[in-house]
Amino acid sequence: MIHSLFLINSSGDIFLEKHWKSVVSRSVCDYFFEAQERATEPENVPPVIPTPHHYLISVLRHRIYFVAVIQSEVPPLFVIEFLHRVVDTFQDYFGVCTEAAIKDNVVVVYELLEEMLDNGFPLATESNILKELIKPPTILRTMVNTITGSTNVGEQLPTGQLSVVPWRRTGVKYTNNEAYFDVVEEIDAIIDKSGSTITAEIQGVIDACVKLTGMPDLTLSFMNPRLLDDVSFHPCVRFKRWEAERILSFIPPDGNFRLLSYHVSSQNLVAIPVYVKHNISFREGSSQGRFDLTLGPKQTMGKSVEAVLVTSQLPRGVLTANLNPSQGTYTFDPVTKMLSWDVGKINPQKLPSLKGTMSLQAGASKPDENPTINIQLKIQQMAISGLKVNRLDMYGEKYKPFKGIKYMTKAGKFQVRT
């Protein structure tokens, strides 16, 4: 299936390659580099690139392209899912998935790739199994391996590999038994000049950190499960139970994992958390432009909007921006023409505003179009879709675990047109 894997950094250098079936020349990546040049943004590179003899399937994570080389037709999502699993494994092992971390742990990286793919086909992709096969690197273990010449490869086969629950190792023991769930939602929206919503959708995930002794069986129910659309589950979830009762029933992996991801695309279910009042204008024949922007909370159920950052790509003709923020700080880069306003937390009693003038080049014509405003924000203890966990129950073990649920909403691609 997968013949080779190339890791390419943001500068376009191939810093790691791995081959399974046969050695594929690096020159195959020239097709990828051509597609990269044609793309306006790094994330706009096509995920599947056909070449005369191969298919290149890639994902971009942490400013690194993971490019898989395929010789025969394969479902692309199958390969993309595997590449994301590789990135998640590196992150789990090294804490971060960066070029420096991969180069520092290159031996472990090759050992992991050897176990995750067998002759080009996915084999062991579960974190618990991999950690029994190849121990995560520590400073002490690295020193011992350097002195003794030994490796991180485990001496025994993992017990979970042959069980019906391969994602959970046997004999797990904890003094404190706890299960935490984070409901994180990202809102993508485009708001037009008059404040009407053009498009709005929510991408949500439920991330779990489960540290429970033995082999617990958990059920998680929601107040309003019908909200969830286009749901993708971890393999541990019993799908038939979800289809019949809309209840998540599962034996959890040990440690951190993503229980499910979902999508809410119905616009009437998507609440817009902030509103923007704006007046950005340029007069014909004048070297001055006016900039007036005010932010306010909207449909936040009383929760405060935090970590607000407003960015806007101003027209090329703008030389300087002389603005006065009522809250936070702003910066304007005269080279890239990027305006950035770090607002912080929105106080509903005193709405933050940014007002002032912009200087245009002498003799420059009025800009053809007004700039768009991009907003980043966070709202703690709230899922913007209204999703709420009803209860979490445990069966199969006698102890009482500590349980916690946390909600968070943040902006994905949130754009306001002026």
Side-chain angles (χ1 to χ4, degrees), residues 370-382:
N370 272 3
T372 55
I373 296 161
N374 297 297
I375 300 173
Q376 293 174 27
L377 56 88
K378 278 184 186 172
I379 306 171
Q380 301 286 355
Q381 292 308 320
M382 174 187 157

Side-chain angles (χ1 to χ4, degrees), residues 31-32 35 38 43-51 54-59 66-68 70 72-80 83:
Y31 295 99
F32 177 81
R38 286 195 297 270
E43 58 265 26
N44 289 349
V45 176
V48 181
I49 301 167
T51 74
H54 304 90
Y55 292 97
L56 305 182
I57 299 179
S58 64
V59 298
F66 291 74
V67 183
I70 317 292
S72 55
E73 281 203 28
V74 180
L77 288 176
F78 188 57
V79 181
I80 287 168
L83 293 175

Side-chain angles (χ1 to χ4, degrees), residues 111 130-135 151-158:
E111 288 170 348
L130 286 167
K131 281 180 179 172
E132 286 187 65
L133 283 165
I134 297 153
K135 294 176 177 65
T151 67
N152 287 15
V153 178
E155 292 176 5
Q156 291 179 324
L157 279 172

Side-chain angles (χ1 to χ4, degrees), residues 234-270:
H234 187 277
C236 69
V237 175
R238 297 179 180 102
F239 187 59
K240 280 189 177 176
R241 179 99 188 260
W242 169 260
E243 277 197 314
E245 304 173 47
R246 283 290 189 264
I247 288 174
L248 292 176
S249 171
F250 56 99
I251 294 172
D254 182 39
N256 298 306
F257 66 100
R258 178 154 291 174
L259 181 63
L260 75 122
S261 55
Y262 60 91
H263 184 79
V264 179
S265 55
S266 179
Q267 278 200 30
N268 54 353
L269 292 174
V270 180

Side-chain angles (χ1 to χ4, degrees), residues 143-211:
M143 286 171 63
V144 170
N145 290 352
T146 308
I147 296 163
T148 61
S150 55
T151 67
N152 287 15
V153 178
E155 292 176 5
Q156 291 179 324
L157 279 172
T159 51
Q161 183 82 4
L162 303 172
S163 79
V164 289
V165 276
W167 51 83
R168 189 173 181 85
R169 59 194 173 92
T170 54
V172 183
K173 283 191 172 71
Y174 287 104
T175 47
N176 294 327
N177 291 289
E178 49 199 20
Y180 299 108
F181 293 87
D182 289 353
V183 180
V184 182
E185 293 190 341
E186 248 187 32
I187 179 167
D188 298 331
I190 297 175
I191 313 296
D192 72 5
K193 196 172 182 178
S194 62
S196 305
T197 305
I198 298 172
T199 64
E201 57 184 31
I202 293 166
Q203 313 284 348
V205 296
I206 298 181
D207 287 329
C209 176
V210 176
K211 295 182 179 178

Side-chain angles (χ1 to χ4, degrees), residues 2 11 37 99 119 129 140 152 154 179 191 218 243 289 310-311 316 319 340 367-368 381 384:
I2 296 177
S11 309
E37 280 176 23
E99 185 182 349
N119 197 31
I129 290 171
L140 181 62
N152 287 15
I191 313 296
L218 303 181
E243 277 197 314
V310 178
T311 56
R316 265 180 284 180
L319 285 174
S340 179
D368 295 332
Q381 292 308 320
I384 198 83

